[in-house]
Amino acid sequence: MQEGLRAASAVAPIVVAAVWLDWPRLSWAAFSAFWACLADPGGTDRSRLGFMGLFAGAGTIAAFIASATAGVSPLVAGLILGPLVFVPSLSSMFGVETSRVGTLVCVAAVVAAAFPGAPAAALQLAGFFLLGGLWAMVLCIGIWRIHPYAPARRAIAALFAQLGGAILDLLAQDRGARSRAVDWDAFNAEHRRSIRAAIERTRGVVAALETSDMRYRAEIESADRVFAAFIAMGHAFAERGTPLDPGREQDLLHRLLLLLAEAQHQAEQRVPQPALLAAEATALQTESAALGNLIGRGIGAAAQSLEELADQRRGDAAKVQPAGVEPTATPLLRPIPGAVLSHAARVAIAVLVSYAIASSLNLTFSYWATVTTVVVVQPEAALIWQRSIERMLGSIAGGLLATALMFAFPTKIALLALIFPLAAATIAFRLVNYTIFVIFVTSLFVLVTELLQPAAGIASIRVIDNVIGSLTGLAASVLLWRHRAARGAGQVLAEAVRANFEYAARIVGGLGTAADIDSVRRAAGVASGDAEMLQHRMRLEGQGRRAHLAEMDELLHALRRLAGSAAASALAGEPADATRAAALAREGAALADAVGDPAAASLPGVPGGESQHDMDRAIRAVTSAAAAYVAAFGKPPANLIRASG
């Protein structure tokens, strides 16, 4: 909300001045200030100054060239617009923050192309653009300072909140009178995938902030260990046939929920006060030990992780050795990957097609179509479908909202008063939900246009332009050099099989330190998450029959069960068995080879009999699911003796 209010403070005064002075071109300073706020990555002042300054400088140059060439003729503007979009789109090779700046520079170029003028007029437009960018930098970095590491604190607090939400959902699932097994599977799959993604996303946020403060990495590692305990407890709930004991187990889980709420509160503080967290975590460990079952050990492990985090905050760093390495600088001069080149060319061609359509149809405010094309084109086809649908739905809803606001508040003064809250909401929601962001940004720009360039049916024009731009971007992403994943589905699944068996083998063999086990567990979670995301993308792309998504789903379900069984085994403290661990590693390698290349490798047979050990049952489920996946490609599994038998 602070970022939203700050951005509104950057935009609203310029819009008021433009309306008051009846000087529409001053709106370019408002556009630039708004986009500069979007380009602000957070973090250190040096980093923020670099990204915002890069946007202001490159955007000013691009705006001048686009406006001046458009003043010559639409054909010349189209010829120049290609390189003006292609070059900034190459920025995706330098990371997310630089890619965002590149996209915003492309947006500035395509908008400026819709404002043709002589060189003097184009220079004036570019000057206003530079003024707006500099004003946003002064406001964000010099006047209204938000703590540079606030994004890390917010992300980590959100991570602890998500863990608390998972515990709350687990309690609700248990109250559902022991729901069907399929419901437990869906529950485990959704939470594991979303929490693992949140953990990795939070790691990325902290890495991007260029901080050497180990506090944030320690908090992420603590959350990761709580997540491991949650996996074990979720697995136990799915396997047992009785509900939670309301007197002990439910009470302790509610205590853990409160403890996670306190961890969330501490993570949000610039200077944490960990005494309460440590005291509550110690007490919960003691009480959970009295349960003597896997639920109690899971609660105790989560509490222990939070106690160690509190001790680290109090200076006892010997108890926690968080993983993580310092980010290294990305070299500026390096070969451009083929995927980056094809994506940049795809964006440029899509923009040119969108520009040609808008020009031939003589669309009012045609730049809305080209802007939409820039922002919806994604390297992967599945993402473009989602982004296009979100953009179109958000534009329709935003157009309706703007129409309602203009009907309810018909005077200029009233509409001016709405600019501030709309700008604040747009920035505040940009990382929360893209559709909501589009709703507010559509309403904002429709009202600004109504104030400075009034025309009949502005809201409907915005919707039409956005639909045209979205469809053009969609067509370009699907038809032009469609990006294929570096690894096929079989290879991604094979990596998930290999990583999960490695995790199970480490647990069974008692191999490595606690930090080693954490690293292997994280790798297994990332590999499974990658496979599940690939499955979702392939389903969106309509590849179900060719990729055998049903068999993939069964295999991923079995791998989740294996990971849960391994986490439960780690908490149960079973004796190490090096021979069995080696056999598990061999079996995992054989299964991974077979899944990675179903036409070439042999697959271990599914053992007979019924083991009473939970991990044996989980391994049998993985072997059966892998056999079904391989058989779906036309090669029956070999009837080999199972390595771990």
Side-chain angles (χ1 to χ4, degrees), residues 219-239:
E219 289 173 335
I220 295 172
E221 294 306 317
S222 178
D224 204 347
R225 288 193 291 273
V226 172
F227 176 47
F230 168 79
I231 290 175
M233 290 187 289
H235 179 76
F237 286 159
E239 293 294 317

Side-chain angles (χ1 to χ4, degrees), residues 10 51 54 63 66 74 88 121 126 252 309 367 412 414 418 451 457 516 556 611:
F51 284 111
L54 176 63
L252 289 175
L309 175 62
Y367 59 87
K412 280 193 172 183
L418 292 173
L451 287 167
D516 294 333
L556 290 171
S611 174

Side-chain angles (χ1 to χ4, degrees), residues 222-544:
S222 178
D224 204 347
R225 288 193 291 273
V226 172
F227 176 47
F230 168 79
I231 290 175
M233 290 187 289
H235 179 76
F237 286 159
E239 293 294 317
R240 63 189 272 177
T242 58
L244 290 171
D245 174 15
R248 297 291 296 163
E249 292 176 333
Q250 285 190 10
D251 176 66
L252 289 175
L253 279 171
H254 279 102
R255 293 269 303 280
L256 177 59
L257 187 61
L258 294 174
L259 191 62
L260 288 170
E262 178 61 26
Q264 176 190 353
H265 173 71
Q266 292 288 325
E268 293 172 335
Q269 305 303 307
R270 291 180 61 180
V271 182
Q273 302 295 328
L276 179 60
L277 181 65
E280 291 295 326
T282 301
L284 186 57
Q285 279 189 79
T286 302
E287 295 183 37
S288 61
L291 281 181
N293 61 15
L294 187 55
I295 304 300
R297 285 191 287 273
I299 296 172
Q304 180 182 6
S305 176
L306 294 174
E307 181 192 23
E308 290 174 346
L309 175 62
D311 287 340
Q312 191 271 344
R313 287 173 174 168
R314 292 187 297 188
D316 187 10
K319 295 187 70 175
V320 176
Q321 298 296 333
V325 296
E326 289 300 305
T328 57
T330 303
L332 293 178
L333 297 178
R334 55 174 175 161
I336 302 175
V340 174
L341 283 171
S342 62
H343 172 65
R346 186 165 46 241
V347 175
I349 292 174
V351 166
L352 291 178
V353 172
S354 183
Y355 180 76
I357 292 173
S359 298
S360 62
L361 296 177
N362 197 25
L363 293 178
T364 307
F365 307 118
S366 58
Y367 59 87
W368 283 339
T370 49
V371 166
T372 300
T373 301
V374 167
V375 299
V376 301
V377 174
Q378 301 293 318
E380 296 181 5
L383 298 179
I384 181 67
W385 279 100
Q386 177 179 345
R387 181 57 60 90
S388 298
I389 292 171
E390 289 175 336
R391 186 80 185 187
M392 287 187 283
L393 291 177
S395 296
I396 293 171
L400 292 174
L401 175 59
T403 301
L405 291 174
M406 288 187 291
F407 179 79
F409 305 96
T411 65
K412 280 193 172 183
I413 295 297
L415 292 179
L416 279 172
L418 292 173
I419 297 300
F420 189 92
L422 284 176
T426 300
I427 296 296
F429 278 96
R430 77 190 192 281
L431 298 180
V432 177
N433 182 279
Y434 185 73
T435 304
I436 298 176
F437 165 77
V438 174
I439 290 173
F440 284 119
V441 77
T442 298
S443 301
L444 174 65
F445 278 90
V446 167
L447 292 191
V448 171
T449 305
E450 174 67 20
L451 287 167
L452 298 174
Q453 297 173 285
I458 289 179
S460 60
I461 292 171
R462 171 84 180 195
V463 172
I464 293 171
D465 286 341
N466 273 348
V467 170
I468 291 174
S470 295
L471 293 177
T472 303
L474 176 62
S477 293
V478 172
L479 299 176
L480 298 176
W481 309 298
R482 185 171 177 172
H483 174 63
R484 296 185 181 275
R487 298 179 297 166
Q491 294 172 302
V492 175
L493 277 174
E495 182 59 33
V497 170
R498 186 175 289 106
N500 279 277
F501 267 85
E502 172 67 14
Y503 175 43
R506 289 292 186 102
I507 295 297
V508 169
L511 305 173
T513 64
D516 294 333
I517 297 296
D518 283 344
S519 176
V520 174
R521 173 178 50 78
R522 178 193 170 199
V526 170
S528 295
D530 288 345
E532 291 180 359
M533 292 305 297
L534 175 63
Q535 183 198 34
H536 288 312
R537 290 198 297 269
M538 295 174 77
R539 181 176 287 115
L540 284 173
E541 295 175 16
Q543 300 185 40

Side-chain angles (χ1 to χ4, degrees), residues 114-161:
F115 289 81
L123 187 61
Q124 183 189 64
L125 182 147
F128 284 138
F129 187 95
L130 180 60
L131 178 65
L134 294 176
W135 157 238
M137 293 168 62
V138 170
L139 178 66
C140 294
I141 300 176
I143 300 175
W144 191 337
R145 295 178 59 83
I146 296 176
H147 194 271
Y149 302 127
R153 295 200 302 272
R154 285 197 299 270
I156 294 169
L159 182 56
F160 280 117

Side-chain angles (χ1 to χ4, degrees), residues 58-92:
T60 298
I61 296 171
F64 171 75
I65 295 174
S67 178
T69 54
V72 177
S73 74
L75 178 60
V76 175
L79 293 174
I80 297 299
L81 203 54
L84 283 180
V85 172
F86 177 81
V87 173
S89 296
L90 296 174
S91 61
S92 60

Side-chain angles (χ1 to χ4, degrees), residues 586-609:
R586 290 194 300 271
E587 182 171 7
L591 286 173
D593 289 341
V595 170
D597 188 1
S602 297
L603 181 71
V606 181

